């Protein structure tokens, strides 16, 4: 609303493309975000979008700078967890852990607090503190049977940490709980669970090719 109409429309079109492409083609999304940034660098939504596009392409220093700018403009703390994760990406897990203990965390909504817990656990693992990572993830949100958008990721992170600690039976239990909550298949928990159960998937296309080879007289018996 702070931009002239024509400029606002140009910026909006670029932000729409960032949103559309960030998962499938993050590099292209990043390119669109840079255009929007050139056009309207004083708009908080543009700085935030540029931050997420940089984050998706692992340009963590750039992403952190954009998130900090957006936070200054809005006064909101909602980007705090992803800012902490940028610190992890920059090889500074200790800084991410410090951010997990700052007052901003208490101002986050439930989803934001769970995200911060995930980042803190990841930072613990970065520092080789696997048992501490497991403890960090243990919470009322993890213990709850209620399913929220963040539930699959929280359960998955816990299962993965348990497996890394050699607690395979518990890991299997939590991968199974992840599958129960992950109706959209946002994690690969079903594959991890199958791997733990010793299930081996066979490519159906390979089977079809092998069958065709037998029909053509080119099976292993004919080659012998």
């Amino acid at each position: 609303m702070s931009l002239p109409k024509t400029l606002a429309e140009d910026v909006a079109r670029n932000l729409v493309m960032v949103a559309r492409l960030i998962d499938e083609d993050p590099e292209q999304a990043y390119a669109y975000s840079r255009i929007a940034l050139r056009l309207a660098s004083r708009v908080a939504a543009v700085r935030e979008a540029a931050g997420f596009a940089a984050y998706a392409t692992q340009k963590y220093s750039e992403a952190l700078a954009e998130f900090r700018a957006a936070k200054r403009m809005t006064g909101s703390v909602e980007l705090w967890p992803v800012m902490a994760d940028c610190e992890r990406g920059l090889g500074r897990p200790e800084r991410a852990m410090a951010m997990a203990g700052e007052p901003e965390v208490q101002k986050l909504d439930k989803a934001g607090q769970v995200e911060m817990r995930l980042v803190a656990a990841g930072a613990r693992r970065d520092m080789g503190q696997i048992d501490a990572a497991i403890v960090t993830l243990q919470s009322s949100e993890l213990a709850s049977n209620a399913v929220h958008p963040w539930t699959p990721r929280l359960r998955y992170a816990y299962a993965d940490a348990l497996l890394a600690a050699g607690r395979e039976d518990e890991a299997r239990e939590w991968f199974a709980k992840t599958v129960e909550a992950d109706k959209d298949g946002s994690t690969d928990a079903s594959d991890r669970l199958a791997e733990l159960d010793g299930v081996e998937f066979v490519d159906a296309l390979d089977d079809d090719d092998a069958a065709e080879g037998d029909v053509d007289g080119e099976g292993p018996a004919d080659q012998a």
Side-chain angles (χ1 to χ4, degrees), residues 56-70:
T57 53
Q58 300 183 5
K59 298 176 177 67
Y60 297 117
S61 180
E62 188 175 318
L64 185 57
E66 297 301 340
F67 290 142
R68 284 173 174 166

Side-chain angles (χ1 to χ4, degrees), residues 3 12 39 61 65 74 81 123 127 149 179 186 207 209 219:
L3 301 175
L39 293 173
S61 180
T74 64
M127 294 186 285
V179 172
S186 60
D207 285 348
D209 290 343

Side-chain angles (χ1 to χ4, degrees), residues 5 15 26 33 39 50 55 61 64 73-75 78 91 113 118 122-123 128 145 148 166 171 176-177 189 192 204 214:
K5 182 179 179 181
L15 293 184
S33 77
L39 293 173
Y55 179 82
S61 180
L64 185 57
M73 291 175 178
T74 64
E78 65 178 9
Q113 290 180 2
L118 288 166
N145 290 323
H148 301 277
K177 289 183 177 182
R192 301 290 298 276
D214 290 343

